[in-house]
Amino acid sequence: MNTSLSKILILCAAVLWGTTGTAQALASSEAHSVAIGAVRLAVGGLSLLAACLIQKKKVDVDVRRLPILPLTVAAVGTMVAIGSAPLLSGVLNYIVYSKKPTKKWLLATFTGILGCCCLLLKKDSQIDVIGLGMAIGAGASFACYTTVNKKIVQYVDPQVGASLVFTTAAVLLIPCWFMYDMSWLVSLNGIGIALHLGILTTALAYVLFSTALKSVHASTAVTLSLAEPVTAFLLGVFLLGESLTLVNICGAVLVFVSLAFLTYSPKSSLNQEVHI
């Protein structure tokens, strides 16, 4: 798979991730975010396993060749979400693979993060220290997931690898099924949201993302994932009626510019992409 197509797959995955917040907002008020996350991983993991069995993919991989530590880290990483991941993934990429960030990646990442900050800026915004810390933790987790997932796809099919990761994460979250109210799942709205989050934003999105990681740097993949907050922002404005300011619009433009700059690869440079 060429680099350009891989980047497009990552953007598609990010757009699917971007629908997560809107779907959660449309869920019942009784649905706790942790409970929704547990359901999302369970549905995603089971749907991936079912798809592997239907396609007769070899799920019984050689455990001796499977990188257990990366698999464990990836499973834990999926229990949280994206936040400050781009910069953290660049650091991890340098530590793990000794690959220095390129000037192009640094410029695109800085522009994208600046745009995301503008997207989140509201007139009455206040800094929540605890929330900021949780966001950084989420970013670190996603960066870890992306970095170690490159090792996983070297040993197993991306779809099989994703099914192992999400099934493991779902098992880790089993206690949440007994700690939170799950009555919202018995309604048609709850079932629809669970299927959307599990199949589209988890199973399909992460298969696309994992497949693309075979030919794209982990740091580049995470920066391209900034398409997620833009998608979430646009859905919030047009579907949920959230307010829109000039600063927000400028932020969206900055993110689009960073994604376009990072995605564009002249023919002369396509062969210079280093595969990790």
Side-chain angles (χ1 to χ4, degrees), residues 17-19 21-22 227-237 242:
W17 290 331
T19 66
T22 301
E228 176 189 358
V230 174
T231 302
F233 169 74
L234 293 176
L235 289 175
V237 170
E242 295 183 359

Side-chain angles (χ1 to χ4, degrees), residues 53-132:
L53 294 175
I54 293 174
Q55 299 175 51
K56 297 181 179 180
K57 289 182 177 289
K58 187 178 180 181
V59 180
D60 55 331
V61 296
D62 189 348
V63 178
R64 293 171 298 180
R65 297 184 64 249
L66 190 65
I68 301 300
L69 180 58
L71 177 61
T72 304
V73 173
V76 174
T78 58
M79 295 168 61
V80 285
I82 195 172
S84 57
L87 286 178
L88 292 169
S89 68
V91 174
L92 286 171
N93 205 44
Y94 177 69
I95 294 175
V96 177
Y97 300 109
S98 298
K99 299 294 182 181
K100 294 183 178 180
T102 64
K103 292 181 179 179
K104 179 178 182 180
W105 177 83
L106 288 172
L107 179 59
T109 299
F110 175 78
T111 303
I113 292 178
L114 179 60
C116 286
C117 291
C118 293
L119 284 176
L120 297 174
L121 190 61
K122 302 292 183 181
K123 292 182 179 180
D124 57 348
S125 295
Q126 294 182 349
I127 297 178
D128 186 335
V129 177
I130 296 178
L132 180 61

Side-chain angles (χ1 to χ4, degrees), residues 163-250:
S163 67
L164 293 173
V165 168
F166 288 111
T167 301
T168 302
V171 171
L172 293 175
L173 287 178
I174 285 179
C176 294
W177 288 76
F178 303 96
M179 296 170 58
Y180 298 94
D181 181 12
M182 292 292 186
S183 60
W184 57 277
L185 269 177
V186 299
S187 66
L188 290 177
N189 179 63
I191 293 174
I193 289 175
L195 293 177
H196 171 78
L197 292 176
I199 296 177
L200 296 181
T201 71
T202 302
L204 177 58
Y206 277 95
V207 166
L208 294 176
F209 188 75
S210 298
T211 301
L213 279 179
K214 285 189 172 183
S215 54
V216 173
H217 290 302
S219 54
T220 299
V222 177
T223 299
L224 288 171
S225 298
L226 290 176
E228 176 189 358
V230 174
T231 302
F233 169 74
L234 293 176
L235 289 175
V237 170
F238 294 107
L239 291 184
L240 303 180
E242 295 183 359
S243 60
L244 179 65
T245 66
L246 180 59
V247 174
N248 297 150
I249 296 175
C250 291

